[in-house]
Amino acid sequence: MEPEPSVSAADGYDASACTDGNCEIAVSKPVTVRLQGPGGPATLSVTEVGPNKIEYTVKSGNGQSKGGASGPGQGCITALRENGSGNSCGGLSGTRPSAQPDAVVIQATTGTDGTALLHIVSP
C-alpha cells in the first residue's frame, strides 16, 4: 500500500485517471502515464522522484521532450502540441496549469517529502 501523500491530489496516485488528458495525481516513485495528446497517444514517464526533485520524459508521435526540476516549490510545465512541445521550468509553488487551445499542458511540481504533484490539463 502506498503511503499517504503529503500533498492533496484530486486523483490520488491513480495514473489511469490521466488517460483522458485531465488529472491531478501525486507520484512518489517512477511511473508511466498514458494519455491522449493533440496528435494521438502520448506517454509521460516520470523517471526520478525524490525530496524536492522530479524528472520526466514526454513522448508523442516522433517527438520527445524532457523536463526536470530540483528545489522547494520548483517544477516544469510542458505544453504538448500536435507539431511539437515546449518546456518551461522554475518556481511553481501553489500554481495550477491553465488549459491552452490545441495543447495538453503537463505540470510537474516537486515536493519536500519526495512526493511530486502532476497536473495534466486538456483544452
Side-chain angles (χ1 to χ4, degrees):
M1 179 152 176
E2 293 283 344
E4 284 297 312
S6 64
V7 293
S8 176
D11 298 307
Y13 283 97
D14 186 7
S16 67
C18 300
T19 57
D20 66 354
N22 289 288
C23 67
E24 176 186 81
I25 62 171
V27 293
S28 58
K29 61 184 178 183
V31 65
T32 298
V33 177
R34 291 173 182 24
L35 58 113
Q36 189 61 35
T43 305
L44 165 64
S45 299
V46 176
T47 55
E48 189 173 343
V49 181
N52 295 315
K53 182 171 187 169
I54 186 164
E55 292 186 12
Y56 64 92
T57 302
V58 181
K59 293 180 183 175
S60 178
N62 294 328
Q64 177 174 303
S65 182
K66 292 185 178 190
S70 59
Q74 298 295 302
C76 292
I77 295 175
T78 299
L80 185 60
R81 294 185 171 80
E82 190 170 351
N83 61 351
S85 62
N87 279 351
S88 174
C89 298
L92 293 176
S93 184
T95 65
R96 293 178 181 266
S98 299
Q100 294 183 18
D102 302 319
V104 174
V105 180
I106 300 165
Q107 177 176 306
T109 309
T110 63
T112 57
D113 69 347
T115 301
L117 196 59
L118 292 178
H119 283 94
I120 300 175
V121 180
S122 291

